[in-house]
Amino acid sequence: MRIVVALGGNALLKRGEKPDARNQIENVNLAAEQLAKLAKDHELVITHGNGPQVGVLALESASDTRLSEPYPFDTLGAETQGMIGYWLQQGVKNALPSANVMALINQTLVLADDPAFANPTKFIGEVYSKEEAEKLAAERGWVVKADGEYFRRVVGSPKPQRVIETPLIKVLLDAGATVICGGGGGVPVVRNGEGKLEGVEAVIDKDLTAAVMADSLEADMLIILTDVDGAQLDYGTPNARRIDRATPAEMRGYGFPAGSMGPKVEAVCRFVELTGGVAAIGRLEDATKIIAGEAGTIVTPDGTYNA
Ligand code: ADP
Ligand code: MG
């Protein structure tokens, strides 16, 4: 099978853990053991989150007095693809020496008139007082919004339309490579007035980019790996229970929170609706069990799955 997996940010950095390289490499190596099991038997594309990492780089850039302004988020996103991509590339290679693993920097096209730009909602970077935030907004053209008692910069989260490097990713997969790409949703770019690609300040959802890649790469399966056993009904209550099998229409009918399970459910539904393929959400440790139909939430056109 050709499989696209999306790896959650918490697989790289657990909540509350220091963002030291050492900690992240340890976590990546644990994830890599699971990913290597998939790479052994399947054509594999790996994408990953970058929220905490891009936050660290943004803070560093903002406090570098040699710069007249911090590096923009498209550039920082590319930095995180290089850093996390390198860690994963090394981890998977060590776990499966026969694998040929390549991490790519990729650009993800979004539409300049995506409504998300007019109504930015994703908080990024540091917190500021109201006065500081307004000053920075005026100086740097930022949009700032209240986040609790502080103010923070917000950027839009436009919908990924296409991954620019798709033809090359296909070549690598056909050649037997395991490809790491689409990290952090990919570097957000738009086409400018001359039709040229240009980076934009935005944060693309990595789960939605994974769905776009899985479709365009004609993957058989999209697997979203995170820190819960699947999409649950009555989540966070004593009645919480994992959805085992479902159709996209059933999943859309339940409703899930926007910042976390929502984009994962949207991603699996889109992939299944567009391709008629199989998509799943589950725990990183259960990756092979999910493919075997023994774990996770599995979404298919008719809501059945037999491995
Ligand atoms: P990732 O870093 O893997 O993208 P997220 O934090 O974005 O992880 O999303 C996974 C989280 O979604 C879970 O840890 C859980 O706290 C939360 N969540 C919210 N609603 C649900 C639900 N209905 N079922 C399962 N998890 C849910
Ligand atoms: Mg997430």
Side-chain angles (χ1 to χ4, degrees), residues 84-274:
I84 300 168
Y86 153 61
W87 291 335
L88 278 166
Q89 181 171 328
Q90 191 174 67
V92 174
K93 182 74 180 168
N94 280 336
L96 184 66
S98 64
N100 284 309
V101 196
M102 186 75 235
L104 302 180
I105 306 298
N106 96 279
Q107 304 172 81
T108 301
L109 190 74
V110 300
L111 298 177
D113 63 356
D114 190 301
F117 286 113
N119 179 29
T121 52
K122 285 262 183 191
F123 287 109
I124 55 173
E126 273 181 274
V127 299
Y128 303 99
S129 70
K130 190 166 191 285
E131 294 69 37
E132 275 176 308
E134 282 169 356
K135 185 163 168 277
L136 287 165
E139 277 173 14
R140 295 182 184 163
W142 291 0
V143 179
V144 296
K145 285 185 180 168
D147 184 10
E149 57 180 313
Y150 292 100
F151 278 71
R152 279 177 86 188
R153 183 172 179 204
V154 283
V155 296
S157 188
K159 283 219 156 53
Q161 304 292 335
R162 90 162 18 158
V163 166
I164 301 293
E165 294 77 10
T166 300
L168 182 59
I169 300 170
K170 277 189 178 149
V171 169
L172 288 169
L173 285 174
D174 288 341
T178 294
V179 183
I180 301 158
C181 59
V187 176
V189 297
V190 294
R191 291 223 181 260
N192 67 18
E194 291 161 10
K196 305 280 188 210
L197 298 171
E198 204 174 272
V200 284
E201 301 257 39
V203 173
I204 303 178
D205 185 84
K206 67 132 190 352
D207 297 315
L208 297 181
T209 296
V212 167
M213 291 199 303
D215 173 29
S216 58
L217 295 169
E218 299 176 72
D220 303 289
M221 193 166 183
L222 167 65
I223 310 179
I224 299 192
L225 297 174
T226 181
D227 61 352
V228 275
D229 63 359
Q232 300 177 9
L233 296 175
D234 296 323
Y235 177 73
T237 75
N239 285 331
R241 59 209 182 276
R242 170 176 60 94
I243 301 164
D244 186 38
R245 303 274 191 278
T247 65
E250 284 163 353
M251 290 302 278
R252 287 188 189 285
Y254 296 130
F256 295 93
S260 54
M261 191 47 68
K264 298 184 197 311
V265 169
E266 173 61 25
V268 297
C269 289
R270 270 193 75 79
F271 175 71
V272 174
E273 287 164 347
L274 289 174

Side-chain angles (χ1 to χ4, degrees), residues 21-131:
R22 185 198 307 268
N23 290 338
Q24 299 196 63
I25 290 168
E26 263 177 37
N27 292 333
V28 164
N29 287 342
L30 290 176
E33 280 174 34
Q34 301 302 323
L35 297 169
K37 289 184 203 165
L38 303 184
K40 189 167 168 289
D41 297 326
H42 304 283
E43 288 182 2
L44 188 65
V45 176
I46 302 166
T47 186
H48 57 82
N50 75 345
Q53 294 78 12
V54 83
V56 168
L57 294 185
L59 274 181
E60 289 175 0
S61 188
S63 64
D64 189 333
T65 52
R66 293 166 303 178
L67 299 174
S68 52
E69 57 181 22
Y71 283 0
F73 264 81
D74 56 324
T75 302
L76 296 174
E79 285 190 39
T80 64
Q81 284 193 331
M83 176 172 73
I84 300 168
Y86 153 61
W87 291 335
L88 278 166
Q89 181 171 328
Q90 191 174 67
V92 174
K93 182 74 180 168
N94 280 336
L96 184 66
S98 64
N100 284 309
V101 196
M102 186 75 235
L104 302 180
I105 306 298
N106 96 279
Q107 304 172 81
T108 301
L109 190 74
V110 300
L111 298 177
D113 63 356
D114 190 301
F117 286 113
N119 179 29
T121 52
K122 285 262 183 191
F123 287 109
I124 55 173
E126 273 181 274
V127 299
Y128 303 99
S129 70
K130 190 166 191 285
E131 294 69 37

